[in-house]
Amino acid sequence: NEQLKKATECKPIDYPKPDGVLTFDRLSSVFLANLAHEENQPDHLVLKNPQVMIDVNYKEYASPETRYCPAGVYEIVEENGSPRLQINATNCVHCKTCDTKDPTQNITWICPEGAS
């Protein structure tokens, strides 16, 4: 996380589309991981301060969590004209990348209860 550059210092990478043979889209890969989550389990991805995700991660780093998460758990959605970080915890493959890679160390990964 200490090596992450701000968005203004980088140019966007134009990744090729998944070909379905050698490379696959994120959601198909999450499906193949065959993980299950209990609907009523406590959140295992906790933000220490949700506003930091917009004030710092979104504005200064262009929301890197939307790119470094291999399962597409983190997503920026527009709500009433303002960006908001949405966490799709059921997609989580428990790699813990978000806990270590977040530039503000604002995401805490907690081992989920039950399920797989």
Side-chain angles (χ1 to χ4, degrees):
N1 69 310
E2 295 173 0
Q3 301 299 316
L4 190 64
K5 295 179 182 177
K6 295 193 176 183
T8 56
E9 300 173 31
C10 304
K11 64 178 188 169
I13 299 171
D14 185 23
Y15 291 103
K17 298 279 184 214
D19 62 15
V21 176
L22 184 59
T23 58
F24 301 90
D25 65 278
R26 284 183 179 188
L27 293 181
S28 295
S29 297
V30 169
F31 174 76
L32 292 173
N34 199 28
L35 292 173
H37 296 87
E38 298 286 336
E39 288 297 323
N40 58 353
Q41 79 174 355
D43 290 336
H44 73 283
L45 300 168
V46 179
L47 301 178
K48 295 173 189 167
N49 181 345
Q51 194 57 43
V52 166
M53 302 310 281
I54 299 303
D55 293 345
V56 179
N57 285 25
Y58 178 78
K59 291 180 180 175
E60 294 183 27
Y61 295 95
S63 297
E65 60 278 0
T66 63
R67 295 183 303 281
Y68 63 62
C69 176
V73 169
Y74 302 95
E75 176 182 12
I76 295 294
V77 295
E78 292 290 324
E79 191 172 81
N80 299 324
S82 298
R84 177 181 63 82
L85 180 68
Q86 178 172 298
I87 300 175
N88 304 306
T90 56
N91 286 1
C92 185
V93 294
H94 314 303
C95 68
K96 208 173 177 203
T97 300
C98 57
D99 194 12
T100 58
K101 188 76 174 169
D102 183 55
T104 57
Q105 294 297 281
N106 190 38
I107 301 171
T108 301
W109 180 90
I110 301 166
C111 189
E113 294 180 3
S116 62

